[in-house]
Amino acid sequence: MAGSASRLHLRSVMLPPVARRIPTTVRLKDCYRCRQEIRWASGGAPPWRPAAILDEWVQREARPISLRQLTFFGRTLTEYRLLSSANYVRTELPTRLAHRLRDMQTLPYVVVTNPHMSHVYELYYKAFETLRRVREIKTVDDNDRYCNIITETLQEHLTVIPKLTMGIIECQSLMKPQETNKFMNTLLRSRISRRVIAEQHLALTETFHSPWHFPDAKQPQDPSSDFVGDVFLKCNAKEVVEECSQRARTLAREAFGSACRMPEVNLQGHLNATFPYILSHLQYIVGELLRNSIEAVVERWRHLPGHPAPVDVLICEAPQHVIIRISDQGGGIPKDILPSLWSFGKGPRSHIHLENLVRVPKMAATMQELRAFPTSAGGIAPDANDWRRPVDGSLSSLTYRPPDLRLGMGLPMSRVYAEYWAGSLELHSLEGYGVDAFLTISKLGNKNEQLSTRASMDAV
């Protein structure tokens, strides 16, 4: 990067070869960018690494998988199928990480040197270096050791979403909004894909080692028999809505006080509709929509007489889709927020979101302890490398966060999750009245995960 005098402001910074070149003409409005580059880079820019190995993995194509294919490995789980699943995950995880690392390398250097973005980059590179070195898995013992590696990696990456969002908010003036949102959607969709295949394999491994799995063992009435790994074969929209509405009402009551008037949630339509889905994904999306609706109605009726208008939920089952419409009379979305509704970085309240996001990593750890990793009677937490326990994602801490902890990422994240399995999420706001949200879910489970386009080989 040595050369023109116009780049003297970065002489003290070691630039990796993949950093985007600074324009030869530095304008006055770029002075802020220059100061940020020096401040952030001096605080720990990503170190230089040879690009040949990453180039090799970027050339590989990711192999998308559908819910139906995910369940195939676990339908009649044998050692051969377990090892086939392990080797699929073994090659897919470093491939998908490599493409996202290359995406991060194409960002402006001032963005990559942001402490939060640099933290995520280093986490990704460490995981890539670890996972690409795993040899072919030939035995069950090999698989168990691999599951320990996956579990440790998943736990290290629990704070990726908050860190990414904080970095994007801090860098919002350094990138175009369209580029920012495309980057975030790409990284988050890829992150979902990696966690889905990793957690599915961990669940299959746990099933394989369960006593009731073996043919000569007495088969008990297993309450989770409708699960194949993490995929729930008979996901019922009505039950998910009821559970999420109860949770949202409880959180709202804690935030606004027990004396607040709470709206009813009315359910109608095809209440027996079932479909294969990853339950935590649906709970997160529906939970976010119901939280928004219930809190909006409660806030509006604090200044209005009478009982709050209900939140109406309609479930519609079509031949290939299930559509969930959530309608409220919470006053609609304010005009100043509407343009940035699906944006991760922009918006009039981004400074509030940034302050609140600092609290999320601590909350994630708390939910981890409460839900996924309870301590034993003696107060000793389970081994961090023991994969024979539930694997928690970032969704739990986001789902159970208090209403006053507004992060500005609930709707954008919900849309990413909805579109991941070829669904959709749309909102229609009538200012002064309310909002209609439409969630469309592919019913048959035969749609491949919607992965982002492969990264470019040329990162400079």
Side-chain angles (χ1 to χ4, degrees):
M1 296 281 298
S4 74
S6 62
R7 296 197 293 273
L8 287 176
H9 62 286
L10 286 178
R11 287 289 185 187
S12 61
V13 180
M14 288 291 292
L15 297 182
V18 296
R20 180 173 293 178
R21 295 184 181 274
I22 307 299
T24 54
T25 303
V26 179
R27 294 160 295 182
L28 287 177
K29 69 177 183 179
D30 289 330
C31 290
Y32 171 75
R33 293 179 55 134
C34 301
R35 290 195 299 269
Q36 288 286 63
E37 287 181 15
I38 296 172
R39 180 171 63 86
W40 285 344
S42 61
W48 179 87
R49 295 180 176 94
I53 295 174
L54 189 64
D55 287 345
E56 176 189 340
W57 284 88
V58 170
Q59 290 179 33
R60 305 185 185 190
E61 294 279 0
R63 295 175 291 167
I65 197 168
S66 68
L67 282 169
R68 187 175 294 177
Q69 290 171 314
L70 277 179
T71 62
F72 168 78
F73 290 110
R75 278 294 195 177
T76 307
L77 188 58
T78 62
E79 181 176 329
Y80 173 78
R81 287 191 175 181
L82 181 68
L83 298 183
S84 297
S85 170
N87 282 299
Y88 169 77
V89 176
R90 178 182 65 86
T91 56
E92 281 298 296
L93 290 182
T95 300
R96 299 183 185 196
L97 277 169
H99 285 280
R100 302 295 71 84
L101 282 167
R102 181 51 48 87
D103 284 340
M104 295 189 76
Q105 290 176 347
T106 61
L107 293 173
Y109 184 63
V110 62
V111 176
V112 181
T113 55
N114 173 273
H116 304 299
M117 302 295 287
S118 180
H119 174 80
V120 174
Y121 182 85
E122 287 303 301
L123 280 179
Y124 277 19
Y125 221 109
K126 178 185 176 183
F128 169 72
E129 286 293 332
T130 300
L131 295 169
R132 75 175 181 84
R133 298 174 189 272
V134 177
R135 297 180 180 274
E136 182 182 0
I137 298 168
K138 299 180 178 180
T139 66
V140 174
D141 287 341
D142 289 345
N143 176 69
D144 290 350
R145 286 190 289 270
Y146 182 55
C147 286
N148 289 335
I149 295 174
I150 294 177
T151 302
E152 183 179 348
T153 302
L154 289 176
Q155 300 317 310
E156 288 180 349
H157 287 217
L158 271 178
T159 57
V160 163
I161 291 178
K163 287 288 187 180
L164 268 178
T165 309
M166 285 190 283
I168 286 296
I169 291 176
E170 289 185 352
C171 298
Q172 61 179 306
S173 62
L174 307 175
M175 294 176 65
K176 295 179 180 179
Q178 300 90 334
E179 294 176 352
T180 300
N181 291 323
K182 180 182 178 182
F183 170 75
M184 279 293 286
N185 274 278
T186 299
L187 246 67
L188 289 176
R189 192 173 296 184
S190 178
R191 182 180 186 275
I192 294 168
S193 77
R194 296 192 304 274
R195 294 193 78 91
V196 163
I197 61 175
E199 292 177 1
Q200 176 72 359
H201 180 67
L202 291 176
L204 292 180
T205 301
E206 185 174 3
T207 299
F208 184 82
H209 287 287
S210 299
W212 53 264
H213 165 69
F214 300 100
D216 56 345
K218 184 178 179 181
Q219 183 91 11
Q221 287 287 43
D222 181 26
S224 62
S225 58
D226 289 331
F227 281 88
V228 177
D230 279 349
V231 181
F232 190 25
L233 301 178
K234 297 181 180 179
C235 193
N236 183 278
K238 170 181 174 290
E239 294 176 357
V240 172
V241 170
E242 288 176 340
E243 178 187 345
C244 291
S245 64
Q246 183 60 39
R247 181 190 306 154
R249 286 160 59 90
T250 300
L251 290 171
R253 190 170 283 110
E254 291 175 358
F256 298 107
S258 57
C260 74
R261 293 169 293 166
M262 198 65 57
E264 299 294 329
V265 177
N266 295 335
L267 263 167
Q268 54 184 319
H270 301 128
L271 303 184
N272 296 320
T274 61
F275 46 90
Y277 214 73
I278 295 181
L279 193 56
S280 61
H281 291 189
L282 186 62
Q283 289 172 334
Y284 175 73
I285 301 169
V286 173
E288 284 296 321
L289 297 176
L290 285 172
R291 279 169 61 103
N292 291 342
S293 291
I294 290 174
E295 290 170 17
V297 171
V298 170
E299 288 180 351
R300 188 183 187 199
W301 253 263
R302 292 171 74 179
H303 311 290
L304 295 175
H307 193 74
V311 175
D312 295 318
V313 180
L314 174 65
I315 300 171
C316 176
E317 183 178 19
Q320 296 188 6
H321 298 91
V322 172
I323 303 168
I324 302 175
R325 185 190 70 188
I326 300 177
S327 305
D328 68 64
Q329 298 180 38
I333 301 170
K335 278 186 176 180
D336 63 329
I337 296 178
L338 200 56
S340 57
L341 193 64
W342 304 108
S343 174
F344 286 95
K346 286 287 185 179
R349 302 177 183 175
S350 58
H351 63 288
I352 299 175
H353 300 155
L354 184 59
E355 293 172 1
N356 288 338
L357 279 162
V358 176
R359 297 161 56 187
V360 171
K362 296 180 181 178
M363 289 181 61
T366 302
M367 292 312 305
Q368 219 172 299
E369 293 161 4
L370 291 177
R371 300 186 67 231
F373 314 127
T375 56
S376 63
I380 301 174
D383 183 0
N385 290 326
D386 183 11
W387 50 263
R388 293 180 179 88
R389 52 174 169 74
V391 178
D392 185 38
S394 302
L395 286 183
S396 61
S397 57
L398 293 174
T399 301
Y400 287 88
R401 71 187 186 277
D404 64 328
L405 191 64
R406 300 187 183 276
L407 305 177
M409 58 191 295
L411 284 176
M413 277 276 293
S414 296
R415 175 176 270 186
V416 172
Y417 273 97
E419 293 177 346
Y420 177 68
W421 293 117
S424 65
L425 176 61
E426 300 294 338
L427 258 65
H428 300 280
S429 173
L430 297 175
E431 190 175 16
Y433 185 79
V435 172
D436 284 341
F438 294 86
L439 172 63
T440 302
I441 298 165
S442 178
K443 174 185 171 184
L444 304 179
N446 60 346
K447 300 291 186 181
N448 280 348
E449 49 184 344
Q450 302 300 295
L451 299 180
S452 302
T453 54
R454 66 195 308 271
S456 170
M457 278 294 295
D458 184 9
V460 181

